[in-house]
Amino acid sequence: MASILDQLDRLGDEHPHKLLYSYLDLNGNPIESYSYARFLDLTKAIAGYLRKDGRFAAEDRLLLAYPPGLEMICAFFGCVRAGLIPVPVYPPGSRGFQSALYKMVHIAKDCQAAGILTSKDYHASLKTNLARSGVSASGVDVDYISGLPWIVTEDFVDLIADEPFFDISKILFLQYTSGSTMEPKGVMVTHENILHTCPLVIDHSDPVVVSWLPQYHDMGLIGCYLYPALRGGTTYGFAPMDFIQRPVLWFEAITTYRATATAAPNFAYDYCLRARRLSKNSLE
């Protein structure tokens, strides 16, 4: 069975030192960056731990609950390499916490998640928000996700992957709808889906993509992180809230890094055209 890892591993062998992903701060400065070789090493370390841990079976579903950054992308590919199925979810924050937590619990139950991968800082903030919100009395079944193993992936990024992996699953990942109008519904995305549509969406080699889109959303994850990697390109990402706070960052990054592609929903362009969002000087 063809796998997106076949393509990515080949590209890693061809140009190991080429920049694959870079994440920017509010001023457009890189705060974390990975070459193809370094990124592949990280995914192998995560995959090795997930297999060595021994608590997961082939094709188990694992929720990915991360703040904006590259750790979620590392975890995504680590799951795939280990023969597990990643399920990206919106990480509940302080704003709209109960509603977001309800959706997360729903997704965990719906896909019968076997665990949750996260970052150390986010796991700590989630515990704080749970304690402050009194959410246990709101009808949200917090015990369900509390009973799952929470695994902080940056704790083992330097491990050496020496464990045998499961065969790659035909299903690449589960993509859930936003749940804004009804319960979130999951879609099975296969390796074949991505390999077939990739050249139709990004029709040039070595693309340079700039994106602030959420990484748990299909347009952000597939269009701006999976497709460019499979075409031998580079993605410069930054957080959605940084775009809202400083929309000119989007245009600055496109110019600075000579982007060949970007994407956003209609509201983003309308937002940039609002009075005083962008100065005349910034558009010159």
Side-chain angles (χ1 to χ4, degrees), residues 241-261:
M241 286 307 299
D242 286 349
F243 165 71
I244 296 299
Q245 182 177 344
R246 190 169 174 265
V248 73
L249 174 58
W250 189 16
F251 301 95
E252 288 176 349
I254 289 171
T255 301
T256 299
Y257 299 108
R258 299 175 180 265
T260 63

Side-chain angles (χ1 to χ4, degrees), residues 6-270:
D6 297 333
Q7 180 94 334
L8 191 59
D9 288 346
R10 178 182 62 78
L11 290 167
D13 289 338
E14 290 178 359
H15 42 62
H17 304 299
K18 182 177 180 178
L19 181 64
L20 173 55
Y21 295 126
S22 186
Y23 214 74
L24 312 176
D25 64 16
L26 185 62
N27 296 311
N29 300 313
I31 51 178
E32 54 179 335
S33 300
Y34 296 132
S35 67
Y36 274 76
R38 178 57 180 157
F39 180 78
L40 290 172
D41 285 345
L42 291 173
T43 66
K44 290 173 183 176
I46 292 171
Y49 178 87
L50 294 175
R51 286 290 292 113
K52 188 174 184 179
D53 188 53
R55 71 180 83 186
F56 303 119
E59 297 192 336
D60 269 353
R61 277 73 63 196
L62 297 181
L63 265 58
L64 308 184
Y66 291 88
L70 297 182
E71 187 65 26
M72 181 271 202
I73 306 300
C74 293
F76 179 96
F77 279 96
C79 285
V80 174
R81 193 175 291 277
L84 305 168
I85 300 175
V87 186
V89 297
Y90 173 73
S94 55
R95 176 178 292 182
F97 180 71
Q98 292 193 10
S99 174
L101 186 65
Y102 173 83
K103 292 174 185 177
M104 183 177 178
V105 171
H106 171 83
I107 292 171
K109 289 181 174 180
D110 187 67
C111 73
Q112 299 180 315
I116 302 174
L117 304 187
T118 190
S119 67
K120 187 177 299 181
D121 288 345
Y122 177 71
H123 195 204
S125 70
L126 179 65
K127 290 179 179 178
T128 300
N129 284 325
L130 280 170
R132 288 175 178 171
S133 67
V135 74
S136 58
S138 67
V140 180
D141 188 3
V142 178
D143 289 342
Y144 187 85
I145 59 171
S146 296
L148 294 174
W150 286 71
I151 299 172
V152 174
T153 48
E154 67 256 51
D155 282 350
F156 42 84
V157 294
D158 292 322
L159 295 178
I160 297 175
D162 57 0
E163 292 294 308
F165 301 148
F166 299 122
D167 291 336
I168 301 298
S169 170
K170 180 180 179 180
I171 299 172
L172 174 59
F173 72 106
L174 300 183
Q175 176 66 59
Y176 273 82
T177 58
S178 66
S180 57
T181 58
M182 59 184 68
E183 301 282 19
K185 290 181 171 58
V187 175
M188 293 182 289
V189 181
T190 67
H191 289 263
E192 185 179 3
N193 292 150
I194 299 301
L195 291 171
H196 177 72
T197 56
C198 178
L200 302 178
V201 177
I202 297 186
D203 60 358
H204 55 288
S205 299
D206 302 319
V208 177
V209 175
V210 166
S211 174
W212 50 266
L213 296 174
Q215 296 161 311
Y216 56 84
H217 190 278
D218 55 350
M219 184 186 288
L221 176 60
I222 298 174
C224 298
Y225 286 90
L226 300 189
Y227 286 162
L230 297 179
R231 298 291 282 172
T234 301
T235 294
Y236 294 90
F238 57 96
M241 286 307 299
D242 286 349
F243 165 71
I244 296 299
Q245 182 177 344
R246 190 169 174 265
V248 73
L249 174 58
W250 189 16
F251 301 95
E252 288 176 349
I254 289 171
T255 301
T256 299
Y257 299 108
R258 299 175 180 265
T260 63
T262 191
N266 288 345
F267 87 83
Y269 300 96
D270 292 337

